[in-house]
């Protein structure tokens, strides 16, 4: 059976068998066999291929997802478990932003703590964006059913929608910054995600419990690990489904104009 996922990833990147072979130090015929035959490369080659193609090796070779090395790498990705979001210090948040050089992705409904408790966060993020860091903001649509439901489940009713409007009002001056992209989502969130290059903070959600009272997983990307990649796939799914028209800084009752 051919490996259509690997074939598709090569086509997506515009790479030939020879191109990939050169990048991972194998013969082009070997790459061809990986694609056209049920051949599974050694783990070192799988990880190099995954890095070149910006894919997870478990996606390219699903049968490896639960092998011992992959499980061990996934376990190594968990650096620390914070019992609640408040136990993540402001110094940690700011230093994590400050170290970012490529990508910052934020997915939440309101994440109002970022401007309530971290007054320098947005300015620092704007500075990073001006230096070339890609920043993606993905916050909740205050009029969406998902936000209304989450507010009701937390017992705060319309307060969550109000927080979403406040968040959009707060971030409005930053939406014109080069490098900052923003979308408004109506996704049911199982976790809020805060990604800074290869560092990821996962604020878990539980029914009836405020996100601020819920645990935070501190993950660090490890080659061959599954956790970081899985959560980032979740972000990409929400980003793709979100409203792409939130581009203006004009605010109408706390909502960016469409």
């Amino acid at each position: 059976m051919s490996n259509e996922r690997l074939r598709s990833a090569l086509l997506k990147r515009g790479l030939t068998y020879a191109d990939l072979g050169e990048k991972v130090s194998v013969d082009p015929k070997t790459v061809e066999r990986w694609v056209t035959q049920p051949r599974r490369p050694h783990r070192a080659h799988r990880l190099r291929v995954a890095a070149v193609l910006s894919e997870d090796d478990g996606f390219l070779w699903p049968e490896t997802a639960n092998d011992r090395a992959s499980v061990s790498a996934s376990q190594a990705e968990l650096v620390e478990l914070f019992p609640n979001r408040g136990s993540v210090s402001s110094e940690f948040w700011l230093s994590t932003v400050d170290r970012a050089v490529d990508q910052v992705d934020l997915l939440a409904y309101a994440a109002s703590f970022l401007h309530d408790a971290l007054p320098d966060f947005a300015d620092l993020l704007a500075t990073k964006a001006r230096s070339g860091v890609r920043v993606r903001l993905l916050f909740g649509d205050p009029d969406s059913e998902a936000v209304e439901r989450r507010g009701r489940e937390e017992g705060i009713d319309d307060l969550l929608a109000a927080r979403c409007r406040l968040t959009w009002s707060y971030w409005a001056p930053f939406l014109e910054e080069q490098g900052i992209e923003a979308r408004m989502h109506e996704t049911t969130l199982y976790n809020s995600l805060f990604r800074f290059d290869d560092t990821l903070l996962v604020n878990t959600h539980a029914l009836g419990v405020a996100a601020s009272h819920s645990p935070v997983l501190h993950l660090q990307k490890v080659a061959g690990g599954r956790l970081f990649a899985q959560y980032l796939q979740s972000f990409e799914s929400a980003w793709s489904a979100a409203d792409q028209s939130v581009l203006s800084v004009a605010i109408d009752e706390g909502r960016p104009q469409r």
Side-chain angles (χ1 to χ4, degrees), residues 21-40:
E22 181 180 355
K23 291 177 181 296
V24 300
S25 302
V26 300
D27 188 271
K29 287 293 185 182
T30 299
V31 177
E32 183 179 4
R33 286 192 288 270
W34 292 345
V35 174
T36 61
Q37 301 176 25
R39 296 286 187 91
R40 187 173 72 187

Side-chain angles (χ1 to χ4, degrees), residues 3 6 20 24 26 30-35 37-50 57 60-64 67:
N3 189 332
L6 180 55
L20 183 60
V24 300
V26 300
T30 299
V31 177
E32 183 179 4
R33 286 192 288 270
W34 292 345
V35 174
Q37 301 176 25
R39 296 286 187 91
R40 187 173 72 187
H42 293 299
R43 186 168 186 269
H45 284 145
R46 294 201 309 269
L47 296 182
R48 289 178 199 158
V49 170
D57 71 301
L60 297 173
W61 292 279
E63 67 274 15
T64 69
D67 64 30

Side-chain angles (χ1 to χ4, degrees), residues 62-112:
E63 67 274 15
T64 69
N66 293 316
D67 64 30
R68 184 176 300 176
S70 295
V71 171
S72 178
S74 298
Q75 292 172 335
E77 289 186 306
L78 179 59
V79 178
E80 186 173 2
L81 171 63
F82 295 98
N84 55 66
R85 199 176 63 206
S87 60
V88 185
S89 69
S90 58
E91 292 79 10
F92 184 93
W93 284 103
L94 295 175
S95 64
T96 304
V97 178
D98 194 45
R99 289 194 300 271
V101 295
D102 293 315
Q103 185 93 25
V104 173
D105 296 321
L106 309 180
L107 168 62
Y109 281 132
S112 52

Side-chain angles (χ1 to χ4, degrees), residues 213-230:
H213 297 164
S214 297
V216 174
L217 310 179
H218 171 196
L219 303 180
Q220 195 73 28
K221 184 177 181 181
V222 171
R226 300 282 179 255
L227 297 180
F228 190 97
Q230 184 177 58

Side-chain angles (χ1 to χ4, degrees), residues 12 25 30 33 88 93 100 112 131 159-160 172 212 244 248-249 252 256:
K12 181 179 177 181
S25 302
T30 299
R33 286 192 288 270
V88 185
W93 284 103
S112 52
S131 71
L159 183 56
L160 181 58
S212 59
Q244 302 183 36
S248 171
V249 298
D252 177 16

Side-chain angles (χ1 to χ4, degrees), residues 125-143:
L125 205 56
T127 299
K128 303 300 287 188
R130 287 192 290 270
S131 71
V133 175
R134 185 190 185 194
V135 176
R136 293 187 293 178
L137 307 177
L138 192 50
F139 298 130
D141 182 339
D143 296 327

